[in-house]
Amino acid sequence: ATGCPVASLTHACAQIDAALKRRYDGGTTLVMFDHSPDRLIVAHVGDARAALVTRHHLVELTQDHQGPKGRLTRSLGDRGSQAPSTPTVRVIEPFHAGRYVLLATDEVWRALDDRLICSRALATLLDQSTAVESRDALRRLLREDPQIENASAIILGVS
């Protein structure tokens, strides 16, 4: 929409929200980012999250839009909800690149929160030398959990 990445991400959310409302009845969540060598911008709506993966650390960049009883306070495309579709946008400057950015749905985060924090499996995920290896490690971990039904994640190199 403009040359400003923050405005562009916000505008993209508005466009997605409008398109979803024209075509579907339900809502969804979204997480996206933009980066340059000196800054990282993360925009999200709902409970999809972003994290910076550094060697041996997972630094969450977003906080869920949840209210009482775990109900989402923001979503995209939900015609029956009064929840706003406006994303929370976080600009991180100066940005000292980690290795990867992990963008994932709530199912992935639930698995990481419930099973893997402080575990050897999470350390294995973080210790991979490439984004592809980290992705494959995450895929193996998620396949081991029979509770996971619908998980989506993207791991992108940002170093």
Side-chain angles (χ1 to χ4, degrees), residues 68-90:
K69 300 180 183 179
R71 292 185 181 185
L72 292 180
T73 58
R74 294 189 194 186
S75 65
L76 295 174
D78 190 350
R79 286 184 271 175
S81 172
Q82 297 300 315
S85 59
T86 309
T88 295
V89 180
R90 180 176 178 198

Side-chain angles (χ1 to χ4, degrees), residues 45-77:
V45 176
D47 58 3
R49 298 185 205 167
L52 183 63
V53 178
T54 63
R55 193 154 188 90
H56 308 297
H57 289 77
L58 186 82
V59 180
E60 289 193 45
L61 301 174
T62 59
Q63 292 183 340
D64 292 352
H65 293 127
Q66 286 190 342
K69 300 180 183 179
R71 292 185 181 185
L72 292 180
T73 58
R74 294 189 194 186
S75 65
L76 295 174

Side-chain angles (χ1 to χ4, degrees), residues 33-35 38-42 61 90-92 95 101:
F33 82 103
D34 181 78
H35 80 97
D38 59 344
R39 64 131 176 81
L40 177 72
I41 302 171
V42 178
L61 301 174
R90 180 176 178 198
V91 180
I92 302 161
F95 172 60
V101 169

Side-chain angles (χ1 to χ4, degrees), residues 122-142:
L122 182 58
T124 300
L125 171 67
L126 299 176
D127 199 34
Q128 301 304 312
S129 59
T130 69
V132 171
E133 290 171 351
S134 201
R135 177 207 64 203
D136 292 344
L138 179 60
R139 181 180 290 150
R140 284 190 299 275
L141 292 171
L142 294 173

